[in-house]
Amino acid sequence: MGISLYEKVFNRHVVRKDEGTYLLYIDRHLVHEVTSPQAFEGIRISNRNIWRKNSIIAVPDHNVPTTDRTVKIKDPISRIQVETLDKNCEEFNLLQFKMDDRRQGIVHVVGPEQGSTLPGMTIVCGDSHTSTHGAFGAIAMGIGTSEVEHVFATQCLIVNKFKTMRVVVNGDLQYGVTAKDVALDVIGKIGTAGGTGHAIEFTGTTIQSLSMEGRMTLCNMAIEAGSRVGLIGVDNKTIDYIQDKPLAPKGDLWKKAKKDWLGLVSDEDAKFDSEIEIDGSLIEPQVTWGTSPEMVVSITSKVPNPADFSDKTLSSSYQIALKYMNLKPETPINKIAIDKVFIGSCTNSRIEDLRAAASIVGTKKIAKNIKLALVVPGSGLVKLQAESEGLDKIFKNAGFEWREPGCSMCLAMNADKLGPGERCASTSNRNFEGRQGQGGRTHLVSPQMAAAAAIYGKFVDIRELN
Amino acid sequence: MDPVNIHKGIVIPLDRANVDTDAIIPKQFLKSIKKTGFGPNLFDEWRYLDHGEPGQDNSKRRINPDFVLNIPRYKNGSILIARENFGCGSSREHAPWALLDFGIKIVIASSFADIFYGNCFKNGILPIILDKATMDKIFTKVEAKVGYEITVNLQKQKIYYDSEIASFEVDSFKKSCLLDGLDDIGLTLKNKVDIENFEKKYHESFPWLNSGEKLK
């Protein structure tokens, strides 16, 4: 019997197997300022060393301001956290892309951009959206701060093997339907706990057709389906994306690597613990209406009515969500007006996302009811690329603000946030209560849908703009 | 980490599904570089009616009298019960740190998100999964009696409530770490030679993955 991609990569990293657990070797450790200070402190207190320093890349992203970088961070507590990362990286001699480095950006954009994310790797970071890197045929997962310290000290993690789930998506996506819509559609179907305890592998012709950036968007959202690990088999697109990246292998090593990597796919007869199949051609642009990513419908639908659901917990969750979102049951999605727009986050801030959003904007202006429309590139390099293509001018001309890279209003740890009651079309990944600012109301959408919402002041079906 | 074995305590019922870690401890409190002091801001946006910021005097804030942590009958509770997919979302370990700092030792739900579940064990909190029917029963009992207490025995993997007993599953490694309050980094470092040997062979087999030479 064949084995799955997850098992292939997993098996390469088993240092030892103990009763029920595995000691798994970690290739790459990404570090940011929020989940690392206590881990560094732990290393200091216990007088331990960092096992393999060249496995680590650090970058501040959560707290950084997206405005002028030449001035210091205003919020003193945010500033201390970023400075603590600086101090720790200096003390332990680790590679860091500091706030003023043009390579700085969101950790999950920076890793692949630098070629530090490679097929067959195990990659961890104290951040749940680490699943992003699974797009390269790697096992990439979010860990807590205790585990960050564990990887610092031992280059390993104690893990249980996940079950495997295969999500097969076949068919051509319609015009205006993106990897983000595929992700939201999958989450809508299996629920935010549907992938708990599983590594999800995405396969099928729809997935093959996605660009590497689209695949990253999809794997990024695996955690919103409950799965710490999302992954996609290696093909020529994967190889082409990595080639010539700064940290990618070169010369003879590149040839050997390429040969190995192309084998990083599930065997045809691999068994999965569960499997679902989706017709990609039927997926419509998605918009979340509630306070969990699974509370999602297509742009042609209405907000559901809690009274239609017999399950008490579900019905009560829907009621709480509608109250928080200030929406009435059965409101058509395309009647929902918005106040703010956020294009950014580790889900949708790469160059293709910005190009796609800009193509919708064109020479139009944002609607009068839009108080703020932000475009926050995923990294300094994405920003430079976008500027070289003139995308910044398109956005600015329309009334968007063009900002410096960081996590920004995805989680609102910096100054970019929603005010109470404000409603936002956001390309980020979580619509939890308060996520983008206390009392703020988030609707998750693709970059194109967010751009269109900015122009029309409400959600519109971008297929009709074609 | 303090060991956990037998614990008896007042139950706090949080009757919600998909309680995410953003709700458990909102983002503005993640700016701390410490592991302690998060308790007063546990469930901040549900617990208070005004906006909270780090370093604020929380005793002067407007509390939400309807939120379960503010209801006097649940005062000094140490066992939190909730519905499915508790702890979903962000990997922030600040969530278990906040629960622990508040005084929660046990969380019982019909399911947990993976990262949160693992993070609990690293901090001396026992997360317990019970089936929905048992959860329903416990929710009903907690509502019916003021100061309702249950007893959890990790060694025996049992929960005692009134005259009833429920069993729960727990991974044997995680269980032994909690029972003994073990530092798992110390345990892993006992296998230092295994890791060194593995690493050497691994980098010989996959030399392209250690392109890190170019890094500092």
Side-chain angles (χ1 to χ4, degrees):
Chain A
M1 198 185 70
I3 61 168
S4 70
L5 170 61
Y6 170 74
E7 288 164 296
K8 280 186 191 179
V9 179
F10 190 97
N11 292 345
R12 285 183 174 190
H13 293 87
V14 176
V15 174
R16 51 181 288 147
K17 185 177 186 309
D18 295 291
E19 198 196 334
T21 64
Y22 295 84
L23 193 61
L24 204 69
Y25 186 76
I26 302 301
D27 291 300
R28 177 68 70 215
H29 190 181
L30 302 167
V31 169
H32 65 74
E33 78 278 21
V34 180
T35 54
S36 65
Q38 298 86 350
F40 281 114
E41 187 65 11
I43 291 290
R44 264 190 295 268
I45 290 170
S46 55
N47 206 17
R48 287 174 174 138
N49 295 316
I50 291 187
W51 186 287
R52 189 160 71 83
K53 292 183 178 180
N54 72 9
S55 68
I56 296 169
I57 295 178
V59 62
D61 56 5
H62 284 60
N63 275 286
V64 299
T66 56
T67 46
D68 187 2
R69 289 285 169 80
T70 55
V71 290
K72 276 195 162 187
I73 302 177
K74 267 194 207 146
D75 176 353
I77 313 178
S78 283
R79 191 170 67 232
I80 288 170
Q81 200 164 48
V82 171
E83 287 171 354
T84 303
L85 182 65
D86 291 348
K87 276 186 212 147
N88 283 327
C89 289
E90 268 161 42
E91 180 186 338
F92 292 99
N93 193 25
L94 304 175
L95 176 67
Q96 189 200 177
F97 300 138
K98 288 190 181 184
M99 241 173 68
D100 57 357
D101 190 315
R102 67 194 185 113
R103 295 168 297 181
Q104 181 272 340
I106 307 171
V107 66
H108 308 307
V109 175
V110 169
E113 191 172 73
Q114 291 299 319
S116 93
T117 296
L118 298 173
M121 274 184 164
T122 45
I123 301 171
V124 296
C125 175
D127 191 284
S128 62
H129 290 110
T130 309
S131 59
T132 310
H133 309 264
F136 292 81
I139 293 181
M141 60 181 184
I143 56 178
T145 298
S146 295
E147 288 182 316
V148 170
E149 186 181 339
H150 197 284
V151 177
F152 278 162
T154 70
Q155 207 59 39
C156 292
L157 274 182
I158 302 167
V159 299
N160 304 108
K161 207 179 210 174
F162 290 129
K163 289 182 182 169
T164 53
M165 176 186 284
R166 178 155 62 180
V167 174
V168 186
V169 192
N170 283 317
D172 295 333
L173 294 177
Q174 298 172 40
Y175 166 83
V177 175
T178 68
K180 180 65 163 289
D181 302 293
V182 176
L184 288 170
D185 184 77
V186 170
I187 296 161
K189 286 191 166 80
I190 71 174
T192 46
T196 302
H198 291 76
I200 297 182
E201 179 174 343
F202 299 97
T203 68
T205 58
T206 310
I207 310 302
Q208 285 161 14
S209 303
L210 292 177
S211 68
M212 284 314 293
E213 296 196 355
R215 293 178 190 182
M216 283 188 251
T217 299
L218 183 58
C219 289
N220 172 278
M221 296 284 284
I223 186 65
E224 309 314 329
S227 177
R228 276 174 96 165
V229 170
L231 69 178
I232 293 173
V234 175
D235 62 10
N236 285 321
K237 275 189 195 170
T238 325
I239 305 288
D240 291 346
Y241 182 96
I242 298 166
Q243 192 163 19
D244 301 326
K245 291 276 189 284
L247 297 173
K250 306 280 180 323
D252 196 37
L253 271 186
W254 169 255
K255 282 184 201 145
K256 284 183 186 159
K258 199 171 137 179
K259 198 170 158 221
D260 176 65
W261 291 344
L262 285 168
L264 291 174
V265 290
S266 286
D267 294 335
E268 270 181 35
D269 55 345
K271 278 277 282 174
F272 289 82
D273 295 296
S274 63
E275 183 155 341
I276 67 157
E277 215 174 316
I278 290 171
D279 184 343
S281 70
L282 299 180
I283 299 174
E284 300 185 295
Q286 303 285 303
V287 182
T288 64
W289 56 266
T291 53
S292 161
E294 71 184 20
M295 296 175 177
V296 63
V297 291
S298 70
I299 180 67
T300 55
S301 306
K302 293 174 177 178
V303 171
N305 190 338
D308 294 342
F309 298 87
S310 56
D311 182 294
K312 263 196 204 155
T313 309
L314 189 69
S315 178
S316 123
S317 295
Y318 278 19
Q319 275 169 14
I320 294 169
L322 287 181
K323 189 175 171 214
Y324 181 84
M325 294 297 289
N326 193 30
L327 286 172
K328 294 207 167 57
E330 296 176 28
T331 306
I333 297 294
N334 62 12
K335 292 271 189 286
I336 299 174
I338 52 165
D339 306 305
K340 287 187 174 174
V341 175
F342 173 61
I343 297 176
S345 87
C346 58
T347 313
N348 280 129
S349 64
R350 298 180 180 83
I351 189 67
E352 290 175 14
D353 297 316
L354 303 189
R355 285 179 192 144
S359 75
I360 297 286
V361 175
T363 54
K364 300 183 199 75
K365 308 274 184 208
I366 61 173
K368 288 208 172 68
N369 58 310
I370 301 296
K371 293 188 222 168
L372 177 72
L374 279 186
V375 184
V376 183
S379 71
L381 295 177
V382 170
K383 183 170 184 261
L384 285 175
Q385 177 63 33
E387 287 170 354
S388 77
E389 297 176 21
L391 304 183
D392 57 323
K393 291 196 183 71
I394 295 176
F395 288 119
K396 285 193 274 192
N397 181 53
F400 283 87
E401 292 192 16
W402 179 249
R403 297 287 188 89
E404 298 295 325
C407 299
S408 179
M409 209 160 74
C410 172
L411 87 164
M413 260 187 96
N414 69 354
D416 310 335
K417 52 187 78 166
L418 297 181
E422 285 180 338
R423 190 179 295 286
C424 181
S426 178
T427 66
S428 56
N429 40 58
R430 289 188 175 132
N431 51 350
F432 299 155
E433 283 186 24
R435 171 79 179 181
Q436 294 193 288
Q438 190 168 10
R441 299 173 177 136
T442 304
H443 295 272
L444 303 175
V445 288
S446 71
Q448 288 93 318
M449 286 289 286
I455 302 301
Y456 293 91
K458 66 182 192 78
F459 293 112
V460 293
D461 189 339
I462 47 169
R463 292 172 301 175
E464 290 169 5
L465 306 180
N466 189 11
Chain B
M1 177 175 91
D2 294 334
V4 177
N5 185 14
I6 297 167
H7 180 81
K8 186 180 184 187
I10 291 176
V11 182
I12 306 173
L14 182 60
D15 196 357
R16 283 182 79 137
N18 297 315
V19 173
D20 58 76
T21 52
D22 275 85
I24 297 172
I25 184 81
K27 81 276 295 175
Q28 62 269 36
F29 305 105
L30 310 189
K31 294 174 187 178
S32 166
I33 55 173
K34 299 196 173 101
K35 285 187 183 183
T36 52
F38 297 102
N41 302 107
L42 175 70
F43 295 115
D44 197 273
E45 291 182 6
W46 291 345
R47 195 165 155 194
Y48 302 98
L49 294 169
D50 52 5
H51 177 76
E53 282 294 328
Q56 213 175 341
D57 180 356
N58 293 294
S59 66
K60 296 202 171 116
R61 294 176 60 193
R62 284 189 298 135
I63 66 155
N64 172 7
D66 299 328
F67 185 61
V68 68
L69 294 190
N70 294 326
I71 299 175
R73 62 187 281 187
Y74 304 119
K75 209 179 163 204
N76 300 322
S78 57
I79 300 175
L80 185 72
I81 64 170
R83 300 295 182 175
E84 65 257 28
N85 201 26
F86 187 88
C88 60
S90 153
S91 64
R92 58 188 71 166
E93 200 158 317
H94 312 68
W97 294 337
L99 287 162
L100 194 69
D101 199 60
F102 179 83
I104 303 293
K105 299 267 188 261
I106 315 261
V107 185
I108 310 177
S110 39
S111 64
F112 288 91
D114 285 336
I115 305 179
F116 175 83
Y117 185 78
N119 282 344
C120 282
F121 285 96
K122 311 277 184 193
N123 292 285
I125 293 179
L126 172 61
I128 297 174
I129 303 167
L130 292 180
D131 61 84
K132 202 170 174 296
T134 312
M135 289 306 304
D136 284 344
K137 251 203 288 194
I138 298 178
F139 266 102
T140 310
K141 283 174 181 289
V142 173
E143 223 169 274
K145 191 181 163 193
V146 174
Y148 189 78
E149 289 188 308
I150 64 178
T151 301
V152 173
N153 184 320
L154 173 59
Q155 181 64 50
K156 291 184 176 165
Q157 297 180 211
K158 302 248 188 264
I159 293 173
Y160 304 88
Y161 59 108
D162 292 340
S163 57
E164 300 198 59
I165 302 173
S167 300
F168 61 89
E169 297 292 321
V170 57
D171 171 84
S172 57
F173 174 71
K174 291 191 171 83
K175 177 178 172 178
S176 66
C177 283
L178 264 194
L179 282 173
D180 300 329
L182 289 178
D183 157 24
D184 58 4
I185 297 178
L187 287 178
T188 297
L189 284 174
K190 283 186 188 162
N191 302 313
K192 193 167 179 252
V193 175
D194 286 349
I195 303 172
E196 284 167 349
N197 291 340
F198 174 91
E199 189 170 50
K200 190 163 174 283
K201 255 182 28 206
Y202 179 81
H203 285 148
E204 281 164 12
S205 307
F206 307 107
W208 50 85
L209 293 187
N210 199 15
S211 60
E213 257 76 63
K214 282 166 278 173
L215 304 182
K216 256 202 275 191

